[in-house]
Amino acid sequence: MIYKNIQILRFIAAFLVVLHHTLPPTVHPAHYANIPTWITEISVYGFAGVDIFFVISGFIMAETTRSMQPGAGTASGFVFRRFLRIYSGYWPALLLMLFLSIWLGIFNGPEISHWKSFLLLPQDFYLLSVSWTLTYELYFYLLIGTMLCFTRKQAVPVFLALLLAFVVIVAVQFNLGVYRSATPRENNFLLNVFLTSPLIIEFIAGFLLSEWIHRKPGQSIAAWSLFTTMALCASIWMQKYGGLMGVGMAAFLYYPERVMLFGSTSLGLVALAALLPSSGSLLSRFFCKLGDASYALYLLHIPLLVILYSLLFPKIPGLLWIGGGKLSLLVYLVSVVICSLLYFKFLENPLHKISRRASSMWLRSAESSRTCTV
């Protein structure tokens, strides 16, 4: 079951990330001088769109796997299809970014491995900067694949135990200073930054939220609203007044605090999106369409930021300065939404359908081969 409200929340999450990446120094401060304060305030917290995405992903994976029969074949088929889903939408955007990086001579440092960027393997920096979140998606799909080897009744305790294990590991790492020093990040990236990342807690929490709502459908909307409001206020206060260094909870330094605060907020938002009745209005249907294109929006907004602000806008006399940057920002935001809808309709969705048919044929062939062998 796909919730319309969650599709809308997908778009909101992606758009928050887009706004966050329009902040200086990504967009030159001089071209951002007179942007309304309320936009810049929202943009500062836009990184939390990733946390919303992660909780949504856990929730949706719980929904889509609920009726699957347990077994190694089901698990391998699920992982194969989900990986193809990520790659089929990702690779065209990556190729665009590769072209831009070669043409403009950017994002070509030795710290970026192109083959790791292509395969979405863990590394510190990626050719397409937002790719780091997709490595966590693939990691979570592997965890879900492992879960599919168990019955659903067994899987929930396994995920509860996994959640507890991650909480304990993060607490130990926190006390050891992993999140207060750059040394572990540099010397043991795979273990300290990736495999034991607090961000995985958000995926697991989304999965368990779906199970909780499924088993206890009479959830209190008022209670979830209060929980979400309190978590959001605490998150904003910590980010703005908590004395955090640099970009605050957007940085690895404060991932435990981020998951505890913005992760809790995201959990509440997803719960409310699942519980509240969806509207059939034209506006709601429009935002659902935008939600369908949220992956495209997430992938395209950095390449389009480079294309517009580095190549096109400077060639249009005065555009970057009209309204103190308001017009250029508006043109960028409208352009990235339109391009994302087109990317989804004419590239991402057709490629996904092709890959899905190909994967179904391959999986049927593999199953037939196993049957004949037996």
Side-chain angles (χ1 to χ4, degrees):
M1 177 178 182
I2 300 297
Y3 294 84
K4 290 182 180 179
N5 292 342
I6 287 183
Q7 282 299 91
I8 295 172
L9 189 58
R10 277 183 193 267
F11 168 71
I12 293 171
F15 199 73
L16 282 172
V17 175
V18 172
L19 285 177
H20 185 66
H21 287 147
T22 61
L23 288 171
T26 308
V27 174
H28 194 282
H31 304 148
Y32 208 84
N34 296 315
I35 302 301
T37 304
W38 65 271
I39 294 180
T40 57
E41 279 292 307
I42 293 173
S43 301
V44 167
Y45 307 102
F47 66 87
V50 170
D51 303 274
I52 298 172
F53 265 130
F54 285 176
V55 176
I56 288 176
S57 182
F59 186 94
I60 294 299
M61 288 304 100
E63 293 293 313
T64 56
T65 59
R66 192 178 306 283
S67 60
M68 290 184 180
Q69 295 299 314
T74 300
S76 59
F78 166 83
V79 170
F80 185 69
R81 284 190 293 268
R82 293 312 304 177
F83 272 49
L84 276 181
R85 176 71 182 94
I86 292 292
Y87 287 134
S88 62
Y90 167 68
W91 280 333
L94 179 69
L95 290 175
L96 173 60
M97 199 69 224
L98 178 61
F99 171 76
L100 291 172
S101 71
I102 294 172
W103 183 19
L104 300 175
I106 55 176
F107 310 128
N108 276 325
E111 71 277 6
I112 298 177
S113 167
H114 285 190
W115 72 271
K116 285 187 176 181
S117 292
F118 183 76
L119 294 175
L120 292 172
L121 298 177
Q123 62 177 328
D124 220 339
F125 301 99
Y126 291 85
L127 183 59
L128 182 56
S129 59
V130 297
S131 303
W132 69 272
T133 63
L134 303 182
T135 65
Y136 287 106
E137 284 280 347
L138 298 182
Y139 179 19
F140 182 63
Y141 294 157
L142 290 174
L143 293 178
I144 291 288
T146 304
M147 179 273 295
L148 286 171
C149 294
F150 300 89
T151 65
R152 196 66 172 200
K153 188 175 181 180
Q154 295 168 330
V156 173
V158 168
F159 262 56
L160 282 169
L162 193 61
L163 177 66
L164 179 60
F166 268 95
V167 170
V168 170
I169 290 169
V170 171
V172 170
Q173 288 179 325
F174 185 87
N175 288 328
L176 291 175
V178 168
Y179 299 99
R180 293 293 178 263
S181 169
T183 304
R185 184 180 177 89
E186 294 167 354
N187 294 339
N188 206 338
F189 176 87
L190 184 63
L191 176 63
N192 289 327
V193 180
F194 184 69
L195 291 176
T196 60
S197 173
L199 297 173
I200 299 300
I201 293 172
E202 296 178 341
F203 287 104
I204 299 172
F207 182 94
L208 293 173
L209 172 67
S210 171
E211 287 300 306
W212 178 249
I213 291 177
H214 183 75
R215 298 184 184 193
K216 304 282 185 181
Q219 300 281 318
S220 170
I221 292 176
W224 275 112
S225 298
L226 178 61
F227 170 81
T228 306
T229 302
M230 291 175 63
L232 178 60
C233 290
S235 302
I236 292 173
W237 185 92
M238 176 61 80
Q239 178 71 5
K240 192 167 187 178
Y241 303 109
L244 307 183
M245 295 186 293
V247 293
M249 285 184 274
F252 170 78
L253 193 66
Y254 300 108
Y255 271 15
E257 293 90 339
R258 172 179 180 168
V259 170
M260 184 170 62
L261 295 171
F262 281 111
S264 295
T265 303
S266 301
L267 189 72
L269 289 171
V270 174
L272 288 172
L275 293 169
L276 288 169
S278 57
S279 169
S281 67
L282 182 62
L283 184 63
S284 176
R285 292 198 299 273
F286 172 69
F287 277 101
C288 276
K289 291 292 183 184
L290 294 179
D292 292 340
S294 59
Y295 184 39
L297 179 64
Y298 188 71
L299 293 172
L300 284 184
H301 76 276
I302 295 295
L304 287 176
L305 191 71
V306 173
I307 291 170
L308 293 179
Y309 275 93
S310 297
L311 298 175
L312 295 183
F313 287 173
K315 297 184 183 299
I316 303 175
L319 178 63
L320 287 171
W321 309 103
I322 295 174
K326 295 186 185 72
L327 181 59
S328 57
L329 181 62
L330 178 62
V331 170
Y332 166 68
L333 294 176
V334 172
S335 298
V336 77
V337 169
I338 292 173
C339 289
S340 298
L341 288 168
L342 294 174
Y343 184 93
F344 171 75
K345 182 174 182 179
F346 295 109
L347 200 58
E348 179 195 342
N349 202 36
L351 285 175
H352 172 51
K353 289 179 179 178
I354 292 170
S355 66
R356 188 169 56 190
R357 285 196 296 268
S359 66
S360 296
M361 291 173 61
W362 185 86
L363 290 169
R364 281 197 299 269
S365 176
E367 182 63 30
S368 176
S369 298
R370 285 197 296 268
T371 304
C372 290
T373 302
V374 173

